[in-house]
Amino acid sequence: MTAGQTVRLPSVDRILGDAVCLDLIVRHGRVQTLACARAVLAELRTAMLAGAVCEEGASIAAIAAQMDERLQAQSRSPLRAVFNLTGTVLHTNLGRALLPDAAVQAVVEALQWPMNLEFDLETGKRGDRDDLVEELLRELTGAEAATIVNNNAAAVLLMLNTLAQGREVIVSRGELVEIGGAFRIPDVMTRAGAVLREVGSTNRTHLADYANGVNADTALLMKVHCSNYAITGFTKSVELDELVPLAAQHGVPTAVDLGSGTLVDLAQYGLPHETTVRETIEAGADLVTFSGDKLLGGPQCGVIVGRADLIAKIKRNPLKRALRVGKLTLAALEPVLRLYRAPDLLAERLTTLRLLTRPAAAMRAQAEILLPLLQGALGASYVVTAEAMRSQIGSGALPVDQLPSFGLAIRSAPASRVSNPLGALEQRLRALPCPVIGRIGQDTLWLDLRCLEAAHEAAFIGQLGELRA
Ligand SMILES: *Cc1c(COP(=O)(O)O)cnc(C)c1O
């Protein structure tokens, strides 16, 4: 190291004239490259005052290399692709459902072409964007009509505001669900301008409780799917088919927030049965709301299906305009819905269902291949084993049922001297070019392989070398 005053910094002009920097200008533009050169020089000047810069550090080559690294980091999108090895297939924080190829192609086209979003190609007149999927939704759910909004929270808000503004909605105390902090039935009710009338108790609600709650102000009887919790033990809830005659007797509609809307009986794919939208309509619900990106396996959106007169009323609400979806959502949703016309091919074609139905043996075989590679990359500080584990569907679908899976379990080697070894490793995995997200529990870092499909295995293996450090 040399004393500060003997090191000379190159001028901005000389730096920008360097071959590496000329290439940076081509890639990032002159404005950004120049600003970056100035920033690096300013830092070097400060460091020189502290005598912390050597001849080599002040060379054009070193400065250009630093600029390259910085400009690359600056131009990287904050939204990144990651490996979801959490074991939760529909992970809300990781963007929920992955879309099938058919939807990907449709979105790419919609991004680059004008589309007949609200234009009837037969008449040449203005159309309704909901028409693009309404027929399919009617066919798949048995409902008379349908409309699409931004997400299920929006669907519930819009439905309540349209049907029950200034009036009462009866809900069981056992169904006042909170989804991920921000969506809570009592709060949405207030924002929709409706008055929540709670009936029954947390664990037991009887038909008589609903009957006693009905009065002249009642606008709606509502049931909400207990998506992310289960009430067990001494319990009683009222099924929709018991509620419907009571509602009819008082001339009040019934609505169901189904949460994760399933369009097929999942039992045929070896998964636990989840009440389908069709079953809910058949049981007499006047309106049903559900998410597009949970078990349905589509893009983020909220679907409302049900009685034609009520859907028409919902569409006329000015809030519908504020909550409507764009062309990309509809472009993605339509091909996903169409896949449901071939239920025998669904487990292969619908990404969400394909992941949920992957047999544990497939993940086991994968674990055997990956084990020595990961162990080699991690070295002696960690012990990697292939183990059985349990995946979750996620996003509030079937919170209690868990799917048998297989993956890699990483534990700190007894002799390891790393402090907080699992936390440190979790961070290293997150710092990979395609970050790997696992789950820590019981002094183990779990990498559930359910969501690592064969197509992405090579990319996963390819970056393991970067873990060596
Ligand atoms: C998930 C869920 C919601 C919220 O749906 P989003 O699509 O995330 O807005 C509302 N109600 C229930 C019962 C849910 O499970």
Side-chain angles (χ1 to χ4, degrees):
M1 188 154 120
T2 337
Q5 61 267 31
T6 65
V7 179
R8 288 186 61 103
L9 288 176
S11 69
V12 170
D13 285 344
R14 280 190 58 216
I15 295 173
L16 291 195
D18 176 80
V20 174
C21 285
L22 288 174
D23 178 51
L24 291 180
I25 291 171
V26 170
R27 279 192 282 144
H28 303 283
R30 194 169 177 83
V31 174
Q32 288 196 95
T33 309
L34 178 63
C36 184
R38 290 201 168 125
V40 171
L41 279 175
E43 279 171 36
L44 280 173
R45 250 176 243 121
T46 311
M48 274 169 70
L49 292 177
V53 180
C54 60
E55 201 97 40
E56 196 147 288
S59 69
I60 292 185
I63 291 171
Q66 249 199 72
M67 288 169 59
D68 190 4
E69 202 172 295
R70 278 191 204 196
L71 286 167
Q72 262 189 53
Q74 277 172 24
S75 62
R76 199 165 61 189
S77 165
L79 186 62
R80 310 255 304 276
V82 304
F83 285 108
N84 172 13
L85 304 192
T86 60
T88 301
V89 177
L90 296 167
H91 198 300
T92 298
N93 303 142
L94 300 181
R96 292 194 186 157
L98 301 179
L99 293 240
D101 286 345
V104 174
Q105 300 313 322
V107 170
V108 168
E109 193 172 32
L111 281 164
Q112 299 178 317
W113 283 87
M115 309 294 275
N116 62 326
L117 180 63
E118 291 188 343
F119 184 82
D120 187 325
L121 290 175
E122 260 167 49
T123 63
K125 298 217 170 77
R126 190 196 164 121
D128 177 349
R129 62 183 68 199
D130 285 333
D131 291 350
L132 299 166
V133 289
E134 187 168 25
E135 192 51 48
L136 266 168
L137 280 166
R138 285 168 32 163
E139 178 187 319
L140 297 169
T141 66
E144 291 172 7
T147 185
I148 313 292
V149 287
N150 181 58
N151 55 17
N152 188 30
V156 173
L157 177 76
L158 181 62
M159 175 187 78
L160 290 173
N161 179 262
T162 309
L163 270 65
Q165 191 176 25
R167 300 181 63 204
E168 291 185 6
V169 180
I170 301 183
V171 186
S172 159
R173 290 196 170 91
E175 299 176 4
L176 298 176
V177 58
E178 169 180 313
I179 308 284
F183 180 89
R184 306 169 104 188
I185 288 293
D187 298 347
V188 173
M189 200 70 79
T190 308
R191 290 291 170 161
V195 178
L196 171 63
R197 176 172 274 266
E198 306 173 18
V199 297
S201 64
T202 304
N203 57 328
R204 289 174 70 82
T205 300
H206 306 268
L207 188 58
D209 295 320
Y210 286 94
N212 292 335
V214 179
N215 62 59
D217 269 346
T218 306
L220 193 64
L221 299 191
M222 184 177 179
K223 278 189 70 66
V224 184
H225 192 285
C226 304
S227 292
N228 47 12
Y229 66 102
I231 298 178
T232 58
F234 186 52
T235 64
K236 165 91 180 79
S237 63
V238 179
E239 293 303 316
L240 181 63
D241 50 10
E242 297 173 74
L243 205 56
V244 166
L246 175 72
Q249 193 187 322
H250 294 277
V252 177
T254 50
V256 179
D257 172 9
L258 211 47
S260 193
T262 0
L263 297 178
V264 281
D265 179 6
L266 293 176
Q268 64 183 298
Y269 307 103
L271 294 168
H273 178 78
E274 171 86 359
T275 306
T276 65
V277 180
R278 181 182 289 280
E279 285 165 353
T280 311
I281 290 290
E282 278 172 0
D286 294 301
L287 288 172
V288 183
T289 73
F290 52 98
S291 294
D293 56 352
K294 292 184 180 174
L295 276 173
L296 195 150
Q300 179 193 305
C301 63
V303 185
I304 313 177
V305 298
R307 257 169 56 189
D309 60 326
L310 300 180
I311 294 288
K313 210 172 159 195
I314 285 171
K315 288 190 185 203
R316 287 195 301 270
N317 187 333
L319 264 183
K320 167 66 165 59
R321 174 64 174 73
L323 300 172
R324 75 181 185 188
V325 293
K327 64 172 179 172
L328 301 184
T329 304
L330 288 164
L333 180 61
E334 196 274 338
V336 169
L337 292 175
R338 204 146 21 85
L339 291 183
Y340 281 89
R341 280 184 169 160
D344 47 329
L345 303 175
L346 202 61
E348 179 193 324
R349 292 183 178 171
L350 187 69
T351 315
T352 297
L353 193 57
R354 190 170 67 235
L355 293 173
L356 288 173
T357 55
R358 271 188 91 193
M363 283 81 89
R364 182 179 200 141
Q366 234 177 344
E368 309 283 330
I369 294 169
L370 296 177
L371 168 61
L373 302 173
L374 184 61
Q375 182 66 76
L378 292 180
S381 304
Y382 296 94
V383 180
V384 187
T385 50
E387 291 181 28
M389 46 192 78
R390 287 187 173 269
S391 314
Q392 296 204 7
I393 295 178
S395 284
L398 310 157
V400 186
D401 291 298
Q402 295 193 317
L403 313 170
S405 188
F406 220 86
L408 298 168
I410 311 169
R411 298 185 182 85
S412 164
S416 167
R417 275 171 301 160
V418 186
S419 79
N420 184 16
L422 292 183
L425 179 58
E426 192 183 39
Q427 203 173 354
R428 277 163 72 195
L429 289 169
R430 275 205 312 271
L432 286 169
C434 185
V436 174
I437 316 293
R439 165 173 59 91
I440 291 185
Q442 299 154 303
D443 288 325
T444 307
L445 176 55
W446 305 92
L447 300 180
D448 186 320
L449 295 175
R450 176 174 297 279
C451 296
L452 181 65
E453 289 199 283
H456 296 138
E457 205 179 281
F460 180 82
I461 293 171
Q463 64 172 9
L464 284 182
E466 307 210 14
L467 279 176
R468 285 177 222 272

